[in-house]
């Protein structure tokens, strides 16, 4: 979360001051400036003022997801519309109400499209699509999730397998390459990637 928060701060600085400000900040640190001096000399803000601006940036950037969840009450997160839909989707699927489950999960994904937890709506939608035999829809849902979660081992494996089933070897190879960033020491993945590249005639790879 700290790394993600830092990336969002850099995103805000780039949008509001330009990319050159980030480079100038690095030069300031190189020259021995501490953080308050970097902020004061280059952004013309105190750390508290920058924090307040960052808070406003985050609330605007994530307005839709924040509106979909209830505020924290100090004891635990209260359920909001998003969490209700997230829970009702699998429950409806277990009752055999696949169409209703799909509608709930699609609504949840629209509310919070960047949510990539283990119960992410896209993963539920992928399961529903696979169960009804709609492999292209399952692949599309998995791809949406895998684009957000850099450590999604199981869903990348599933995407690679389903793309192979569809004859999309290039897409399968892309999923296998993502898997190698997650598990670089997995020899079986290297061999599988090599076999896929061979089938495509990409012998240098």
């Amino acid at each position: 979360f700290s790394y993600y928060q830092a990336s969002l701060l850099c995103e805000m600085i780039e949008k509001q001051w330009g990319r050159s400000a980030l480079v100038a900040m690095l030069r300031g640190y190189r020259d021995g400036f501490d953080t308050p001096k970097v902020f004061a000399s280059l952004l013309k803000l105190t750390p508290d003022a920058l924090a307040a601006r960052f808070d406003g940036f985050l609330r605007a950037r994530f307005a839709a997801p924040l509106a979909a969840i209830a505020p924290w009450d100090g004891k635990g997160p209260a359920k909001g519309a998003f969490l209700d839909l997230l829970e009702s989707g699998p429950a409806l699927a277990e009752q055999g109400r696949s169409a209703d489950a799909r509608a709930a999960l699609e609504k949840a994904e629209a509310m919070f499209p960047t949510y990539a937890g283990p119960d992410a709506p896209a993963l539920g939608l992928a399961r529903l699509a696979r169960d009804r035999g709609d492999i292209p829809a399952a692949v599309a849902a998995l791809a949406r999730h895998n684009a957000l979660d850099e450590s999604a081992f199981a869903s990348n494996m599933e995407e690679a397998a389903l793309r192979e089933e569809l004859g999309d070897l290039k897409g399968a190879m892309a999923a296998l390459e993502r898997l190698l960033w997650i598990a670089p020491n997995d020899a079986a993945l290297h061999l599988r990637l090599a076999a896929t590249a061979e089938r495509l005639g990409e012998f240098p790879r």
Side-chain angles (χ1 to χ4, degrees), residues 32-43 45 47:
F33 290 8
D34 61 12
T35 295
K37 188 172 181 180
V38 167
F39 291 171
S41 62
L42 298 171
L43 306 180
L45 293 173

Side-chain angles (χ1 to χ4, degrees), residues 51-63:
R53 183 177 292 204
F54 185 49
D55 182 73
F57 171 79
L58 291 179
R59 290 181 186 281
R61 173 104 156 46
F62 297 101

Side-chain angles (χ1 to χ4, degrees), residues 109 116 120-130 134-149 152-163 166 175 178:
E109 187 176 27
L123 293 177
L125 289 168
R127 282 190 291 273
L128 290 170
R130 189 183 60 241
D134 190 345
I135 303 304
V139 166
L142 289 168
R144 292 196 302 276
H145 179 264
N146 294 338
L148 296 169
D149 184 354
F153 188 90
S155 56
N156 270 295
M157 285 288 283
E158 185 177 1
E159 183 184 343
L162 291 179
R163 286 189 183 278
L166 291 173
R178 288 194 299 273

Side-chain angles (χ1 to χ4, degrees), residues 58-133:
L58 291 179
R59 290 181 186 281
R61 173 104 156 46
F62 297 101
L66 288 171
I69 59 175
W72 189 47
D73 61 5
K75 300 174 184 176
K79 290 182 182 178
F82 171 74
L83 294 176
D84 288 340
L85 289 166
L86 204 60
E87 289 184 0
S88 67
L92 289 166
E94 286 182 10
Q95 296 167 20
R97 297 168 58 186
S98 299
D100 292 334
R102 181 181 177 187
L105 291 172
E106 285 176 345
K107 190 173 181 182
E109 187 176 27
M111 283 182 172
F112 201 156
T114 56
Y115 177 69
D119 55 348
L123 293 177
L125 289 168
R127 282 190 291 273
L128 290 170
R130 189 183 60 241
D131 289 346
R132 67 176 183 271

